[in-house]
Each structure stands twice: as structure tokens, then as C-alpha cells.
Amino acid sequence: MGDDLTSGGPPMGSRRSRITGQPGRREGTRGVTIAVVSTAVVFVAIVFAVTNSPYWPEVKDFFFNREIFLDSLPQVLAKFRRNILYFCIAEVFVLGLALLLAVMRSLRGPVFTPIRGMAIIYTDVFRGIPTILVVYLLAFGIPTLQIPGLPNSPTFWAIVGLILSYSAYVSEVYRAGIESVHPSQVSAARSLGLSRGQSLRHVVIPQAIRRVVPPLMNDFVALQKDTAIIAFVVAVPEAFKQGQMVSLVFLIITIPMTRLTDYLVERERRRRQSGSAV
Amino acid sequence: MTEALRVEGLHKRFGELEVLRGVDLAVDEHEVVCLIGASGSGKSTLLRCVNLLEQADAGTIWVHGQDVTATGVNQNAVRESVGIVFQSFNLFPHMTVLRNVTLAPTRVLKQPRAAAEDRGHALLRRLGLDDKADEYPDRLSGGQQQRVAIARALAMDPDIMLLDEITSALDPELVAEVLDTLRELAAQGMTMILATHEMGFARDVANRVYFLDEGRILEEGTPEQIFSSPREDRTKQFLERIIAAGRM
């Protein structure tokens, strides 16, 4: 992966080993011994502290009950399989929608202002509202409306909520990748006669995606965990009655914060690259 | 002689900085023209304007008689016939050498992949690089990368080649291989405009030399005239500095 990006440099692995250097043999054995002993001491201390706390028996009974664990295991596994399925479905749509949003947002020029604006509003709103509230509002709001032709399953809309919310986050990851590709790459592509879209598709986006794979994986892990929200929201709708009020409060805090971040990023970008027509 | 390129009254500014202040230039077909001048004199910006990578603020550019600065001109079509090679190579790092060369022919000219690859191999062979066809650019030396960039531009069959200080980022021992490639291109009749600090090369190969100073063409003539008996004081000073730096 890294080989085609660290232009001219040696492969990652060899550079690292050269910097850290191979430790001497005796020094190595001593290091390993210290690491093992210190880890064991810390671990034993934590276990001791927890199991000797006054209410440990109650906690143990509530969270770590052996019978309940074995009893519910088959059911949990079945639900887990379903969550994995939700995750896979959501992930495909998140990847597509987020890329679309990122591309919309990186269009330059006054003609694209409305498109760019829509993408900005989208990311602001869906990054601003906690995912669990988006899921709740969709899962119960839309089936309540009884719109003909639209599915009424809360689970369906809960997945849609996850997709909408995560697309906002993932689009920012893509956008960071797109902006990290040096403008000279676009110059080179355009100079060969490639259109704006072709340059984006063949030159910019492939390089951008390679660079953002690690943070994308990070968001995958988060999304996989958050599929659990679906079950919670669908099971206990009452708990989220005040959802709309709460989401407004969140937006008041998060939108100024994201605007500030955008301003800082943009200022940094301007400083890095002088104006270029393409 | 047919005119390949004509530039009149070209102005370009970046914010406060006025980089081009009315440049006039004309290049005939099969001519090799060198632009010389200090860093910041506007050589690169001039070439980027000709390739429409920068939009001129005022002035007109004709490529083979067609006004390419007019509104409604298909910029992509213009760029197909005007190739440019950059100082920093700008190869696509995620593609093999061959794919770098065939990308534009397959996507822009819609050539079938096999035909484009045959031609790509032929071009690379001509530049002595065919054994590198399946390598990625970062495995190549600077000189090899720059020759791939030349091959990539040539793959579009341009009528005019713009070369923007293409040896400036190279180690001294790699400069010769790139200049040899250019000599060969010139011998084959390619119309070329070079921004360059290689005065020896300019003297050997160029038909005409333009001296740029602070965004204007200060002096123009044959290499003989410019290098041996420059008219303007600024040109003399520039050439003296170059000689003092051992670049000539």
C-alpha cells in the first residue's frame, strides 16, 4: 500500500528498522522480561482491586452470570448474525453516499456553489445530531407518517438512519483524502486532456482512497458497533420521546464547532497551495 | 512556415503579484524556442497559460490559428494538442509506467487498450524505458521518471510540447539523458517551447531564445545574438550571473 505513495523513499518496513535499529541480544531478553513482569503486576493489581470492591458479588451476578450467559448464547449469536448483515448493507451504502458527498464538496468554482452548499448542510446536520437520535427519528417518524409506497418497518428506517449519519462522517474522511492529493496531479491530468471528472475519477480519487484506508477502517468498526443501536431503538421507543428537542440542542453546539474546524482547515490549505485555475 | 503558436499581450496576476505584464511571442512549426530568465520572471506561468492550466487575465493565445482564449473553446481539446512536461514530473504514483502513458489515449482519445499499450511500449522503447513498463514511478530514478513524463505527453501526439524546467529537479548526472531525449525530439521536427536554465542546451538546440524579465519579454533573438551580444543590460547581467554560477 505505502509503496506507491512514499515517492522515492524506501519501503516503510526497512525505514522503521533502520531508525529503531536491532537491539542487542542480551538487551532484548532483558527488555522482554521487564515487559512481562510489569504487565503481570499491573494486571494482578487491577483484578485484585475490582474483585475486592464491596459490591463485586452483585456486579458479578448481574453482568457475569454463567447460567444466563449460556442460556442466552444461541439467541445472542442469532442477533449478532443479523447485526453483521445490517452492518454489511449499511456499509455499502455509506461508502457510496459518502464518496458522492465528498466529491460534491470538493467541486471548485462558483457554478457549483449550490451543490457544495447542499453537501455542507448535509454533513453539518448529520454530524451534529447524535447517531442514536437520527436512527430514532427515522425509525419512528417515517412509519408514523404512513406515506404510501414507503416501507413502514422501523428496522428498515433505523438502518437508513445509520447510513445517513455515518455517510456524513465518512464523507469527511474521503474529503481529507481528496484534498491531500497535490494539485500538481490534477494539473498533470488536465494537461493531458482529461476532463475534470476524468481527473477526479482516474487520478485523484484512487490516490485519495489509498490514503484514507486506515481512518475508514476506524469508522467501519464504529458502524459495526452502532448497529446495536437498531435493536435498542426498535425495542424501547419510549425512551427517545424527547429526541427532537435534544437534537436541536446538539446542533447548536456542533455546527459552530464544525464551522471552526472547516475554517482552520481551509486556512491551512490556502497557505499550502497558491491559487491555481484547475 | 506555418505558425504553431502566437501570444499577444498576455497578462496574469496572482492576487497582488503581477507575474505576466504583456507578453508577446510567436513560434513557428518545427521551431525550438527557449525561454530564459531568472526564477520568478514568469516562464512557468507563461507555459501554464498556453496549456490553459492557468487562465490569462488579459491577452490572446492562438494555437495553429485558433483563438484558445475565446469563451466557449473546448479546453480539453486544446490540451490534447499541446503537451506539457513539468519540473516535478507529476507522474501518477498509483499507476504503472505503462498505465501513466496509456491513460490519456484510452480515456480521452478512446483508443482501444491493446492499441494504446502497443503504442505505449513503442514510445517507451524509443526513450529506452520499455523494461520499466510495469514498474511504479517511485522505483525509477529522476531522469527515468522525467522521460516517462515525456513519453506520457508524447502519447497524445501533441503538435506542440511545452517543457517547464524539466531538468531543474534532476541530479546533475541525470540531466544529460533527458536533454538527449529532447535533442532527438527536436531532430524529428517537434515544435518545442522550453523554459530552461540549461544555457548550453539552449545554445545548441534552440532556433530562437526569449529573455523574460519581470513578466515581460525583454529581448528576443537567435542563441548567437542573445548569448554573444545581448542588447539589454538586464540580459547581460543575467548571463553574467549564470556564467559566474558555472552553468554555461
Side-chain angles (χ1 to χ4, degrees):
Chain A
M1 189 60 56
D3 56 350
D4 45 351
L5 296 175
T6 55
S7 49
M12 267 324 200
S14 72
R15 186 180 336 185
R16 186 173 308 161
S17 69
R18 205 184 316 144
I19 290 170
T20 53
Q22 281 296 323
R25 196 185 174 81
R26 218 175 54 183
E27 205 183 318
T29 322
R30 211 174 123 232
V32 170
T33 314
I34 293 174
V36 169
V37 170
S38 61
T39 309
V41 166
V42 169
F43 191 71
V44 167
I46 292 172
V47 170
F48 185 80
V50 170
T51 53
N52 280 281
S53 56
Y55 290 97
W56 169 243
E58 283 84 350
V59 172
K60 186 181 166 195
D61 195 46
F62 193 78
F63 285 106
F64 303 102
N65 188 307
R66 192 185 162 81
E67 283 93 68
I68 293 179
F69 176 79
L70 289 176
D71 260 9
S72 55
L73 188 63
Q75 210 191 340
V76 167
L77 282 180
K79 287 196 172 149
F80 182 67
R81 250 205 321 267
R82 212 165 54 203
N83 272 5
I84 295 285
L85 177 70
Y86 294 161
F87 161 68
C88 291
I89 295 169
E91 185 61 46
V92 171
F93 285 96
V94 166
L95 284 175
L97 182 57
L99 185 58
L100 180 71
L101 285 164
V103 168
M104 281 166 70
R105 231 188 134 165
S106 23
L107 295 173
R108 302 261 153 236
V111 195
F112 297 112
T113 307
I115 293 179
R116 218 165 34 226
M118 282 188 323
I120 291 173
I121 291 169
Y122 180 97
T123 33
D124 272 10
V125 168
F126 283 101
R127 268 200 310 174
I129 307 174
T131 307
I132 194 161
L133 288 175
V134 176
V135 171
Y136 169 76
L137 289 174
L138 281 172
F140 291 100
I142 294 187
T144 313
L145 292 174
Q146 297 282 339
I147 302 167
L150 285 185
N152 281 326
S153 139
T155 307
F156 174 87
W157 288 107
I159 296 173
V160 171
L162 273 184
I163 293 170
L164 294 180
S165 184
Y166 267 83
S167 296
Y169 289 101
V170 172
S171 82
E172 288 297 288
V173 172
Y174 275 133
R175 189 164 74 101
I178 288 174
E179 287 184 359
S180 77
V181 176
H182 198 272
S184 64
Q185 286 286 308
V186 179
S187 291
R190 299 302 307 274
S191 79
L192 291 165
L194 273 76
S195 67
R196 225 182 265 267
Q198 285 174 322
S199 307
L200 205 59
R201 176 166 156 224
H202 299 294
V203 174
V204 176
I205 289 175
Q207 294 186 58
I209 289 181
R210 281 171 171 79
R211 283 180 206 187
V212 298
V213 165
L216 275 184
M217 293 309 292
N218 197 32
D219 281 338
F220 289 1
V221 173
L223 174 62
Q224 205 279 315
K225 286 190 301 181
D226 275 355
T227 50
I229 289 176
I230 299 172
F232 276 110
V233 168
V234 173
V236 258
E238 290 308 307
F240 298 93
K241 270 280 151 76
Q242 289 124 348
Q244 29 193 329
M245 251 338 276
V246 179
S247 60
L248 275 181
V249 174
F250 272 104
L251 281 179
I252 290 168
I253 302 168
T254 53
I255 288 187
M257 249 167 63
T258 48
R259 286 282 70 81
L260 176 67
T261 316
D262 284 347
Y263 164 75
L264 293 173
V265 169
E266 181 62 19
R267 198 179 60 175
E268 179 60 26
R269 195 183 68 83
R270 286 245 174 85
R271 210 167 35 195
R272 228 160 10 102
Q273 347 167 317
S274 59
S276 165
V278 279
Chain B
M1 274 270 182
T2 345
E3 202 170 69
L5 175 76
R6 169 170 288 275
V7 174
E8 269 177 22
L10 198 65
H11 285 261
K12 175 70 189 174
R13 59 160 67 235
F14 295 110
E16 292 294 289
L17 188 69
E18 201 172 5
V19 184
L20 298 179
R21 310 164 183 230
V23 171
D24 301 317
L25 178 126
V27 180
D28 282 332
E29 261 178 38
H30 312 301
E31 215 180 5
V32 177
V33 166
C34 283
L35 308 175
I36 61 169
S39 298
S41 58
K43 305 185 295 289
S44 292
T45 307
L46 174 56
L47 293 184
R48 292 177 64 91
C49 282
V50 170
N51 194 265
L52 307 182
L53 286 173
E54 300 290 353
Q55 198 179 354
D57 296 326
T60 313
I61 301 168
W62 290 268
V63 175
H64 288 290
Q66 186 203 0
D67 178 358
V68 298
T69 41
T71 46
V73 164
N74 181 348
Q75 300 199 334
N76 299 336
V78 174
R79 294 200 187 97
E80 284 171 36
S81 64
V82 182
I84 187 166
V85 182
F86 303 93
Q87 180 176 351
S88 49
F89 326 143
N90 301 355
L91 293 177
F92 305 131
H94 59 299
M95 295 178 185
T96 63
V97 163
L98 184 64
R99 192 70 192 122
N100 263 277
V101 175
T102 57
L103 176 73
T106 52
R107 297 295 165 181
V108 180
L109 302 179
K110 312 285 179 203
Q111 287 176 6
R113 187 136 180 172
E117 285 184 352
D118 284 348
R119 195 160 137 56
H121 279 297
L123 266 171
L124 290 172
R125 207 171 306 129
R126 208 170 107 198
L127 300 191
L129 289 164
D130 202 31
D131 55 326
K132 306 288 182 196
D134 298 322
E135 296 272 17
Y136 283 87
D138 65 349
R139 311 281 299 172
L140 271 54
S141 75
Q144 289 167 336
Q145 289 191 49
Q146 194 57 292
R147 284 186 287 145
V148 172
I150 294 172
R152 181 175 69 175
L154 289 176
M156 290 298 285
D157 266 329
D159 302 320
I160 305 174
M161 284 281 275
L162 310 174
L163 305 138
D164 186 5
E165 298 198 20
I166 65 167
T167 56
S168 300
L170 297 179
D171 291 337
E173 77 269 21
L174 301 177
V175 169
E177 59 184 83
V178 173
L179 293 185
D180 285 345
T181 304
L182 294 188
R183 277 199 182 86
E184 213 174 292
L185 276 178
Q188 286 158 7
M190 175 63 77
T191 309
M192 292 197 284
I193 306 172
L194 300 90
T196 187
H197 288 299
E198 300 292 335
M199 299 303 156
F201 179 82
R203 176 178 278 180
D204 287 354
V205 181
N207 300 107
R208 274 179 314 123
V209 175
Y210 282 90
F211 174 65
L212 265 85
D213 186 58
E214 293 182 344
R216 287 195 189 85
I217 304 265
L218 206 61
E219 193 165 352
E220 181 240 316
T222 63
E224 186 76 357
Q225 281 166 344
I226 298 280
F227 292 124
S228 308
S229 48
R231 284 191 315 272
E232 303 284 337
D233 286 342
R234 302 280 302 193
T235 319
K236 279 180 204 150
Q237 285 162 16
F238 172 74
L239 290 172
E240 275 160 17
R241 279 206 308 277
I242 293 283
I243 291 164
R247 298 292 295 265
M248 201 167 139

